[in-house]
């Protein structure tokens, strides 16, 4: 156990204060100015040791067994690293804190009304930007960052167990395992059609168009192809339009984020024809060839996914290849295809597992994302609640998003890219450390199979490439928007593109 003492400096601002603003010069010589006309007190605290608590928290809920009591924020905790003042209606209790090595619990030494020294044991159930949950004895207390937040809060739920720091313990909580002892492609591909010589010949002939077509689209039109508009595959090359294959789109974007070299390795261009290395339901290699004819609607608009500015990219070609693959094997179709069904035809591996919403604590979820990125898992997420603001975009239910590292780790836990690719943020939702949002998210992680040796060494937070939007750019179709109960979708802060 460790015991570290901290000090604090308090500056009291009385009514004689003549200045109305405070200018703070940062180390980079920039200046931040604050209006302090209404400030009563300013506190400066040392950073303290990692894991120590600082700041003021207001009580919103107390839970004992199945009994919940709502408070209005009048009870207050003031943490100063190694000291704590708990202010109640009955008075104050001052604690000297000693943190355990894991920083998930601490002891508070205090004196009771008789002057006798006592020790209280606290456990941190959860801590977020705006919520602190502590267990003290048989009680669980929910504290918030302001009296208003405590008064208006709806109590958040957490798993009924201790939060795990060990990723191996966290992974044992997984569900939805799809691995098979029959085929490396996963359970869904068991006992499917076995490839014949005639199948191989038909699949390898680019002139043969897919016979399985989604959503009653039947028209093909030749289009110029720009496989790699940004020089190598990018998630930005994957933008869904009128086909309901969001999981496939999210899988392709995940492959581009993690395995751009793998994508280039499995696509072989020959003029306007493209041969793709794929796998049949038994996990055996098979080649699928397609040409540059793309699926259109009755008005001649492209209904397949495209890159920016309607570019026909590697992702459009792979989407068509899967349509042709499905024409022979009839495992799914691509409309409504699942994550663990979309990846194996390209990687040869269907081992996957999932985490249901609310199963994990916030930081456990972040550890899973980190583990998935480090191990090259094709990683897809979703929400069971819509209209939750995540960065500048709102969540959508019944939809698939690509999991990624965030480019703003000081502000967010991880990113989730909507394959609709909205404006300059390229569809990226940023996930804050808030239980009300994190508890609505599910994960599906698929092993990379043949892609594994190609994992990017420089994987970091996703930063979309810059592009110049055009007035004729295709967005998500109105028919698909209606399926999500939407008439439009875009950044909460406006619909302008970042042109820089």
């Amino acid at each position: 156990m460790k015991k570290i003492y901290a000090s604090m400096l308090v500056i009291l601002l009385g009514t004689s204060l003549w200045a109305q603003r405070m200018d703070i010069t940062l180390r980079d010589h920039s200046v931040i100015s604050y209006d302090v006309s209404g400030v009563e007190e300013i506190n400066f605290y040392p950073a303290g040791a990692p894991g120590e608590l600082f700041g003021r928290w207001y009580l919103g809920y107390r839970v004992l067994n199945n009994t919940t009591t709502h408070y209005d924020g009048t009870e207050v905790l003031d943490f100063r690293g190694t000291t704590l003042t708990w202010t109640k209606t009955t008075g104050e209790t001052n604690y000297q804190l000693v943190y355990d090595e894991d920083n998930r619990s601490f002891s508070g030494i205090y004196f009771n009304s008789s002057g006798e020294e006592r020790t209280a044991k606290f456990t941190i159930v959860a801590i977020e930007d705006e919520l602190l949950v502590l267990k003290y004895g048989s009680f669980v207390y929910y504290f918030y960052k302001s009296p208003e937040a405590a008064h208006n809060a709806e109590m958040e739920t957490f798993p009924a167990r201790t939060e795990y720091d060990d990723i191996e313990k966290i992974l044992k909580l997984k569900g939805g395992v799809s691995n098979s002892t029959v085929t490396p492609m996963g359970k869904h591909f068991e006992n499917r059609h076995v490839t014949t010589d005639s199948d191989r010949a038909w699949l390898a002939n680019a002139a043969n168009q897919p016979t399985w077509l989604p959503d009653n689209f039947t028209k093909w039109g030749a289009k110029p192809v720009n496989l790699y508009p940004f020089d190598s595959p990018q998630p930005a090359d994957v933008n869904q339009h009128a086909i309901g294959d969001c999981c496939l789109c999210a899988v392709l974007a995940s492959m581009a984020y993690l395995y751009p070299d793998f994508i280039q390795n499995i696509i072989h261009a020959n003029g306007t024809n493209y041969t793709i290395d794929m796998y049949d339901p038994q996990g055996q290699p098979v080649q699928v060839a397609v040409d540059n004819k793309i699926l259109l609607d009755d008005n001649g608009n492209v209904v397949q996914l495209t890159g920016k500015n309607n570019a026909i990219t590697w992702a459009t070609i792979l989407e068509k290849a899967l349509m042709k693959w499905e024409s022979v094997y009839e495992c799914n179709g691509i409309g409504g295809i699942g994550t663990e069904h979309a990846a194996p035809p390209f990687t040869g591996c269907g081992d996957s597992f999932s985490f249901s919403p609310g199963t994990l604590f916030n930081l456990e979820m972040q550890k899973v994302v980190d583990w998935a990125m480090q191990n090259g898992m094709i990683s897809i997420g979703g929400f069971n609640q819509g209209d939750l603001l995540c960065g500048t975009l709102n969540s959508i239910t019944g939809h698939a998003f690509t999991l990624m590292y965030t480019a703003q780790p000081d502000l967010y836990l991880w990113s989730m890219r909507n394959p609709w690719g909205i404006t300059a943020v390229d569809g990226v939702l940023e996930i804050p450390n808030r239980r009300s949002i994190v508890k609505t998210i599910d994960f599906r992680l698929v092993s990379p199979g043949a892609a594994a040796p190609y994992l990017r060494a420089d994987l970091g937070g996703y930063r979309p490439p810059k592009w110049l939007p055009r007035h004729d750019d295709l967005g998500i179709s109105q028919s698909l928007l209606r399926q999500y109960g939407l008439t439009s979708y875009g950044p909460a802060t406006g619909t302008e593109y970042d042109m820089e």
Side-chain angles (χ1 to χ4, degrees):
M1 303 178 72
K2 60 185 179 181
K3 191 171 184 179
I4 301 175
Y5 291 92
S7 60
M8 68 177 182
L9 171 65
V10 178
I11 298 179
L12 297 177
L13 303 179
T15 55
S16 61
L17 179 67
W18 58 270
Q20 298 299 301
R21 302 196 67 83
M22 175 186 292
D23 291 340
I24 301 175
T25 303
L26 304 179
R27 290 180 180 177
D28 64 358
H29 305 296
S30 62
V31 177
I32 299 176
S33 183
Y34 293 97
D35 180 357
V36 296
S37 58
V39 174
E40 179 180 346
E41 178 181 284
I42 297 177
N43 298 296
F44 297 88
Y45 306 112
E52 291 183 357
L53 297 173
F54 285 85
R56 184 169 294 175
W57 297 86
Y58 299 84
L59 180 61
Y61 286 94
R62 186 187 70 182
V63 180
L64 175 62
N65 299 323
N66 295 321
T67 302
T68 300
T69 304
H70 188 194
Y71 288 74
D72 60 1
T74 54
E75 290 202 14
V76 180
L77 296 185
D78 273 301
F79 284 99
R80 303 292 182 259
T82 56
T83 64
L84 165 64
T85 299
W86 190 334
T87 303
K88 303 180 180 181
T89 55
T90 55
E92 291 184 355
T93 303
N94 296 295
Y95 300 86
Q96 185 67 48
L97 304 184
V98 180
Y99 290 84
D100 290 351
E101 290 297 332
D102 62 1
N103 287 321
R104 300 304 304 176
S105 57
F106 53 88
S107 298
I109 302 170
Y110 68 102
F111 294 92
N112 64 16
S113 57
S114 302
E116 299 170 323
E117 184 177 294
R118 293 285 186 267
T119 300
K121 185 70 173 182
F122 298 85
T123 299
I124 301 173
V125 176
I127 183 167
E128 305 177 4
D129 292 339
E130 300 176 1
L131 175 64
L132 171 65
V133 184
L134 293 178
K135 184 176 182 181
Y136 175 31
S138 300
F139 292 92
V140 178
Y141 294 87
Y142 289 69
F143 293 92
Y144 300 83
K145 289 301 291 181
S146 70
E148 294 78 16
H151 179 75
N152 298 323
E154 294 183 5
M155 190 181 69
E156 302 294 353
T157 57
F158 293 86
R161 57 173 175 80
T162 302
E163 183 175 354
Y164 295 144
D165 188 59
D166 184 350
I167 186 62
E168 295 304 323
K169 290 184 178 180
I170 298 171
L171 292 176
K172 290 180 179 179
L173 301 173
K174 65 188 179 185
V177 177
S178 68
N179 68 298
S180 168
T181 58
V182 176
T183 170
M185 300 282 282
K187 292 179 181 178
H188 183 71
F189 297 90
E190 293 178 353
N191 305 314
R192 298 289 185 172
H193 177 74
V194 177
T195 309
T196 65
D197 289 342
S198 60
D199 292 333
R200 291 186 184 277
W202 187 85
L203 288 169
N205 186 345
N208 295 326
Q209 301 300 327
T211 57
W212 183 93
L213 299 176
D215 301 325
N216 298 316
F217 297 115
T218 60
K219 185 177 181 180
W220 296 96
K223 296 287 183 180
V225 177
N226 183 359
L227 282 178
Y228 310 113
F230 300 108
D231 297 327
S232 66
Q234 297 273 345
D237 298 327
V238 186
N239 302 276
Q240 185 184 16
H241 295 314
I243 298 175
D245 59 351
C246 61
C247 276
L248 172 61
C249 295
V251 162
L252 295 178
S254 183
M255 289 169 56
Y257 176 59
L258 297 166
Y259 298 107
D261 291 346
F262 172 72
I263 292 169
Q264 291 181 297
N265 188 66
I266 66 172
I267 299 177
H268 311 282
N270 180 16
T272 58
N273 294 336
Y274 304 88
T275 299
I276 295 89
D277 297 331
M278 299 181 71
Y279 294 86
D280 70 11
Q282 290 72 47
Q284 298 301 310
V286 62
Q287 289 193 316
V288 179
V290 297
D291 59 17
N292 66 334
K293 292 180 180 177
I294 305 304
L295 200 58
L296 310 175
D297 65 16
D298 292 338
N299 296 318
N301 295 315
V302 174
V303 297
Q304 288 188 239
L305 67 85
T306 71
K308 302 307 182 189
N309 305 140
N310 308 328
I312 306 303
T313 72
W314 61 268
T316 323
I317 296 302
L318 292 188
E319 183 184 42
K320 182 178 180 181
L322 188 57
M323 290 184 210
K324 189 167 181 177
W325 188 97
E326 284 289 344
S327 299
V328 170
Y329 299 111
E330 298 181 343
C331 292
N332 305 283
I334 69 169
I337 190 172
T339 298
E340 68 274 34
H341 308 156
F346 300 107
T347 66
C349 183
D351 291 351
S352 78
F353 56 87
S354 64
F355 289 97
S356 299
T359 302
L360 304 180
F361 288 89
N362 291 17
L363 298 185
E364 290 177 336
M365 294 276 277
Q366 184 181 34
K367 284 181 170 63
V368 170
V369 173
D370 290 342
W371 178 88
M373 298 301 102
Q374 293 162 13
N375 288 274
M377 302 293 283
I378 294 170
S379 305
I380 309 302
F383 297 85
N384 68 6
Q385 183 176 334
D387 295 324
L388 299 173
L389 183 61
C390 302
T392 60
L393 294 173
N394 288 334
S395 63
I396 300 171
T397 60
H399 192 48
F401 299 75
T402 300
L403 300 181
M404 303 169 165
Y405 282 132
T406 177
Q408 304 176 73
D410 293 339
L411 298 177
Y412 302 106
L413 298 178
W414 67 86
S415 297
M416 295 174 67
R417 180 184 183 267
N418 184 340
W420 295 350
I422 304 299
T423 70
V425 298
D426 193 32
V428 175
L429 280 68
E430 301 288 1
I431 308 304
N433 187 16
R434 295 180 189 161
R435 188 63 187 169
S436 58
I437 292 176
V438 174
K439 71 179 182 181
T440 71
I441 297 172
D442 64 87
F443 290 162
R444 168 65 67 174
L445 310 178
V446 189
S447 296
Y454 297 87
L455 181 63
R456 278 178 50 193
D458 59 342
L459 191 64
Y462 176 59
R463 296 183 182 277
K466 299 298 183 181
W467 73 93
L468 185 63
R470 302 187 319 212
H471 72 279
D472 62 343
D473 285 349
L474 294 169
I476 191 69
S477 72
Q478 285 298 311
S479 61
L480 276 186
L481 280 174
R482 285 193 293 271
Q483 291 181 28
Y484 293 101
L486 301 172
T487 56
S488 63
Y489 183 73
T493 54
T495 58
E496 297 81 6
Y497 287 87
D498 182 357
M499 298 293 191
E500 298 180 2

